[in-house]
Amino acid sequence: SNPLKIPPIKCFNQGHLQLISGLPCSKQGKILERLGFCSEIDFIRYTQDGKKLQEDPKLFIKDLQFEDVPVRVYQPRAPSDGLRRGVIYLHGGGWMFGSINSYDRVCRYIARESESVVVSVGYRLAPEHKYPSQFRDCLTASIHFMKTAEDYGVDSACVIISGDSVGGNLAAAVCQALVSRSNFPKPLAQILIYPGLQAIDFYLPSYQQNCAVPLLYREHVISCCLKYLEKDVSVLENVMEGSHVPLDMKLKYGRWVNPDNIPEEFKIRSYKPHLPTSYSDEVYEVAKPALETTFSPLLAEDSIVSQLPLSYILTCEYDVLRDDGLLYKKRLEDSGIPVTWYHVKDGFHGVISLFDFGILSFHSGKKAMDNIVNFLKSL
């Protein structure tokens, strides 16, 4: 079988495949791309995607289209006395990776354990599909589900928008868009699992402390942002230093994106205040879409944030994105929005995807998943 349609190359044999098999997936992809077999992105997607699991005795599972957006709907088989809650799940993967299949275990678990109807959204991926196509797909699928919720046994007033990593970014942006719509019901809640929410400051304490902690490095975050926006990654170092942010924006957004808003307990480990850097018009022109609220929801105006529903935010200690979650938590609370916060003290970015992964499973991932389920049950 040759699912990636790799052309046969005589000089590359089984021994070479065994040689690269011990390398990280991204390095394998780079080697195969240089040899002309396939693109690095296609290789990583193939290795991560997996297959749809077998039928679940407790769930009805259907692959559907919501306004041309692929979705997978998980409905509990057990009879219900009334309409259920609905959970829209937006997967992570740096806007370029991840899929309905790769999050099948996560969504099945949430649906089974919380007895909710879960909709997993297969939004289009970058770089083939330009920003903000991903946001638009997620918003389109969410609106469609909220309008047709009763067709799936769901109360339209009990819909939760959720996601992890960039899925948490998209969930936050979708929630902001939904509460901005007049004559449309707002979501019951939002669940943001180690979300990335801003592209202003890449020297927050968590970015400094965890810059080289797997599974997500600081450089990888900025590289994904630039590739998502179809921008030249040669400005990566300039963006990291903050040269893309004009002074007026630094002053405006400094109220919200500020290390002073992060509890002192999170600054103990290897943190030093970052000295301001000079602004560059050229770098700003490249990176300015990253300062839009559909990309950086933390930068939304107070008039939008104050309308958001009750929120659940999960952060991990060993994650560059930890402080994005902490800063959004403070903004929401300052606006009077109730926030349930769960901090995984021994957790790292991506840990919930490893809650049920055989010998690679992490107990902290299972605890995090159960905490999410318990929050859903409390609604």
Side-chain angles (χ1 to χ4, degrees):
S1 63
N2 192 3
L4 283 172
K5 298 181 172 60
I6 294 175
I9 295 182
K10 292 180 181 179
C11 64
F12 198 78
N13 57 36
Q14 190 65 31
H16 295 116
L17 288 171
Q18 291 175 352
L19 183 63
I20 70 167
S21 65
L23 297 174
C25 183
S26 60
K27 289 188 177 180
Q28 292 181 42
K30 283 184 173 69
I31 291 171
L32 291 173
E33 182 171 84
R34 287 171 185 168
L35 289 168
F37 284 11
C38 59
S39 74
E40 178 188 354
I41 288 176
D42 284 342
F43 178 75
I44 295 174
R45 286 177 185 168
Y46 171 70
T47 58
Q48 290 181 348
D49 190 39
K51 296 179 180 179
K52 181 178 178 181
L53 300 176
Q54 299 298 317
E55 286 192 12
D56 192 301
K58 294 186 177 181
L59 299 172
F60 294 111
I61 302 174
K62 297 178 183 176
D63 288 337
L64 302 172
Q65 298 269 332
F66 285 179
E67 308 290 336
D68 295 326
V69 179
V71 300
R72 183 170 293 166
V73 181
Y74 304 80
Q75 294 175 277
R77 291 178 183 264
S80 174
D81 292 336
L83 296 174
R84 299 183 187 274
R85 73 181 71 83
V87 180
I88 295 170
Y89 197 91
L90 310 177
H91 66 75
W95 298 289
M96 296 184 290
F97 306 105
S99 66
I100 288 174
N101 278 348
S102 64
Y103 275 77
D104 199 36
R105 280 187 172 83
V106 169
C107 291
R108 286 178 187 234
Y109 189 83
I110 293 172
R112 279 197 311 265
E113 300 303 316
S114 70
E115 298 182 337
S116 304
V117 175
V118 174
V119 175
S120 180
V121 180
Y123 57 86
R124 290 172 291 174
L125 300 176
E128 298 94 327
H129 301 283
K130 297 180 180 180
Y131 162 83
S133 299
Q134 298 71 22
F135 162 74
R136 289 173 180 160
D137 283 356
C138 293
L139 180 60
T140 295
S142 298
I143 291 172
H144 179 94
F145 182 61
M146 294 177 78
K147 285 181 176 179
T148 61
E150 291 193 12
D151 295 345
Y152 303 94
V154 170
D155 184 345
S156 61
C158 295
V159 175
I160 299 96
I161 313 293
S162 67
D164 71 293
S165 190
V166 300
N169 166 282
L170 291 164
V174 165
C175 268
Q176 291 179 4
L178 290 173
V179 301
S180 303
R181 297 172 73 94
S182 58
N183 301 318
F184 195 81
K186 75 176 187 179
L188 175 65
Q190 61 177 345
I191 296 177
L192 311 179
I193 304 164
Y194 35 74
L197 299 168
Q198 59 85 30
I200 291 277
D201 190 345
F202 295 103
Y203 271 89
L204 293 170
S206 62
Y207 269 110
Q208 292 188 37
Q209 295 160 351
N210 305 311
C211 62
V213 175
L215 299 167
L216 186 63
Y217 305 131
R218 176 167 56 182
E219 288 81 1
H220 186 207
V221 172
I222 303 168
S223 175
C224 282
C225 289
L226 292 170
K227 289 177 181 177
Y228 175 41
L229 297 172
E230 287 196 308
K231 302 300 182 180
D232 187 350
V233 295
S234 66
V235 300
L236 190 152
E237 292 289 336
N238 304 93
V239 171
M240 185 189 302
E241 295 296 327
S243 299
H244 63 300
V245 186
L247 180 59
D248 61 331
M249 287 191 174
K250 284 184 179 179
L251 292 173
K252 176 181 179 179
Y253 299 133
R255 296 177 292 158
W256 308 321
V257 185
N258 193 320
D260 292 344
N261 294 340
I262 296 168
E264 291 300 317
E265 65 191 271
F266 295 104
K267 301 176 189 176
I268 297 171
R269 182 170 53 91
S270 306
Y271 167 65
K272 293 181 180 180
H274 183 237
L275 297 175
T277 54
S278 59
Y279 165 71
S280 165
D281 274 325
E282 183 180 352
V283 179
Y284 169 69
E285 287 301 319
V286 172
K288 66 180 179 181
L291 305 179
E292 298 170 0
T293 55
T294 49
F295 191 100
S296 293
L298 183 55
L299 309 183
E301 296 296 331
D302 288 334
S303 58
I304 300 297
V305 174
S306 62
Q307 298 182 66
L308 290 169
L310 62 94
S311 303
Y312 173 101
I313 296 177
L314 183 146
T315 55
C316 291
E317 178 61 28
Y318 301 101
D319 179 9
V320 290
L321 301 182
R322 181 197 69 201
D323 293 348
D324 284 26
L326 294 177
L327 291 172
Y328 204 44
K329 171 180 177 289
K330 177 171 171 47
R331 277 214 70 192
L332 290 165
E333 290 174 337
D334 288 350
S335 296
I337 308 301
V339 179
T340 297
W341 173 50
Y342 182 67
H343 184 61
V344 188
K345 292 183 179 180
D346 58 348
F348 53 88
H349 194 82
V351 72
I352 68 158
S353 296
L354 301 174
F355 85 101
D356 180 23
F357 216 70
I359 61 171
L360 296 179
S361 297
F362 284 81
H363 182 61
S364 55
K366 177 66 163 55
K367 285 176 64 178
M369 286 291 289
D370 288 339
N371 194 268
I372 294 165
V373 166
N374 289 336
F375 173 75
L376 285 168
K377 286 181 174 181
S378 73
L379 298 175

